[in-house]
Amino acid sequence: MAKVLVTHQLPGQQILQLPDHCDMNIWMGPGLLPAAGLRDELAGCEGLLCLLTDKIDASLMEANPQLRFIASMSVGVDHIDVKAATARGIVVGNTPGVLVETTADASFALLLAAARRLVEADRFVRGGHWRVENAWSPEFFTGKDVAGATLGIVGLGEVGQAVARRAAGFGMKVLAWNRTPRSVPGVEAVELDELLAASDFVSINLALGEETRNLIDERRLGLMKRDAVLVNTSRGGIVDEQALADALSHDRLAAAGLDVFEREPVPDDHPLLSLPNVVATPHIGSATEATRIKMADMAALNMLAALKHEPMPHCVNPEVYAS
């Protein structure tokens, strides 16, 4: 019977089917499985069900030559060296589509929170600073209107389109840039530089890859309006974080709402964390109970298919099956 490793306890019902088809080892903690532990626990395994926090690189695959399939409980697979996996005939599965609406909700939540300075205001009240002598003034925690503003969406995939639908409810004008042209009703397709210069809000909703790493760099941040708000719920690494911190701290940008960072967990001394005009969350774009259960079930079904020597329902490198 094939041996498989599951790097974390998972919700849902589909994971319960796996022991009937394999010798399953689940990491029970405490915490996340460390890299050294992953290498040790994976020894002798044909299958791996991992999280986005597990780095699956070429050296790990080389150290485990018996590995033949990987199922990740994630949409993005930038934590997996897919090219190396394909070269070794290792099939890789993910969980696409399931977190579209949930992540779009998170994008808009960050947009609203940053625009209306909700986190700053919450800290002000909880810190005991709201008193009779400063109870209200015309400039008291003034933010930025969302209704009727222009939203620029960078990446018009399923999540980007879901963000656009939410923007319609606020009467926003929606611009979008996509690496490959895509026509969506109610959305005006423009070049990226034009989008950045014209938008009051910019939402990043595309995958991280070599073409998109540091896509929003110092030059492109410089194109944005001084009172604009940047939101990123896709992947860290798409935005140059040092350049973003510089723009925010020198009043070249109004605010940012960030759910993702290039290095996660984000270091305590990260320059963005010291800025009051940044709303930061710990990669919770898909964090609803229903969505996480769906993701876990999809990952388990990918694993189950591989154990039965069937194609994974959601495979990112289907060319492996043709080899």
Side-chain angles (χ1 to χ4, degrees):
M1 184 173 284
K3 182 180 177 182
V4 304
L5 171 66
V6 181
T7 65
H8 202 278
Q9 299 176 70
L10 299 182
Q13 295 299 309
Q14 299 302 328
I15 190 72
L16 302 179
Q17 296 189 46
L18 294 186
D20 293 335
H21 301 273
C22 66
D23 176 11
M24 183 172 66
N25 174 26
I26 300 179
W27 171 257
M28 302 300 288
L32 297 173
L33 179 58
L38 174 58
R39 183 175 291 265
D40 293 341
E41 295 287 340
L42 193 58
C45 290
E46 292 184 41
L48 171 64
L49 200 165
C50 65
L51 308 180
L52 58 83
T53 49
D54 299 310
K55 184 174 178 59
I56 316 300
D57 57 19
S59 65
L60 183 68
M61 298 177 206
E62 184 176 355
N64 294 275
Q66 72 294 325
L67 187 65
R68 63 181 181 88
F69 48 89
I70 300 169
S72 182
M73 185 182 151
S74 66
V75 175
V77 290
D78 47 284
H79 58 296
I80 302 172
D81 189 334
V82 177
K83 184 177 180 180
T86 302
R88 291 179 171 275
I90 300 172
V91 63
V92 179
N94 67 338
T95 60
V98 69
L99 51 70
V100 169
E101 301 298 337
T102 305
T103 303
D105 283 349
S107 295
F108 231 84
L110 283 172
L111 187 154
L112 288 165
R116 296 303 304 271
R117 301 173 62 185
L118 297 186
V119 174
E120 287 182 78
D122 178 82
R123 290 173 179 160
F124 184 83
V125 174
R126 292 176 186 274
H129 305 299
W130 194 26
R131 301 188 176 116
V132 173
E133 60 270 23
N134 65 353
W136 192 90
S137 69
E139 70 278 5
F140 192 58
F141 280 101
T142 52
K144 185 175 176 65
D145 283 322
V146 174
T150 297
L151 171 65
I153 298 175
V154 180
L156 199 56
E158 291 185 345
V159 175
Q161 292 177 47
V163 172
R165 291 193 294 271
R166 285 153 178 76
F170 283 79
M172 302 181 84
K173 177 181 179 180
V174 182
L175 309 177
W177 172 83
N178 202 59
R179 285 177 289 173
T180 56
R182 180 169 286 166
S183 178
V184 174
V187 177
E188 180 183 349
V190 297
E191 294 299 320
L192 180 56
D193 285 4
E194 180 184 350
L195 178 151
L196 294 170
S199 298
D200 301 300
F201 298 89
V202 172
S203 179
I204 309 297
N205 300 105
L206 76 172
L208 175 64
E210 290 307 311
E211 294 180 0
T212 60
R213 188 172 295 279
N214 284 330
L215 179 71
I216 309 300
D217 56 11
E218 182 179 8
R219 183 189 73 81
R220 287 198 165 112
L221 287 168
L223 298 174
M224 295 178 65
K225 297 178 180 181
R226 296 178 70 92
D227 64 345
V229 174
L230 177 73
V231 172
N232 187 9
T233 57
S234 53
R235 279 293 187 269
I238 295 173
V239 179
D240 183 329
E241 292 174 357
Q242 185 58 58
L244 177 60
D246 290 342
L248 289 165
S249 60
H250 292 91
D251 296 323
R252 296 194 299 271
L253 203 61
L258 306 172
D259 185 48
V260 290
F261 294 84
E262 185 167 13
R263 176 183 166 191
E264 295 180 354
V266 62
D268 293 341
D269 60 352
H270 196 292
L272 285 166
L273 298 188
S274 64
L275 301 176
N277 52 347
V278 172
V279 179
T281 52
H283 206 139
I284 58 171
S286 65
T288 68
E289 183 176 356
T291 295
R292 291 288 168 83
I293 288 173
K294 290 176 184 176
M295 292 175 70
D297 281 346
M298 289 176 71
L301 287 172
N302 275 338
M303 179 71 81
L304 189 62
L307 287 166
K308 293 179 178 180
H309 301 279
E310 298 172 355
M312 284 187 177
H314 303 284
C315 178
V316 300
N317 60 344
E319 60 269 29
V320 169
Y321 293 118
S323 60

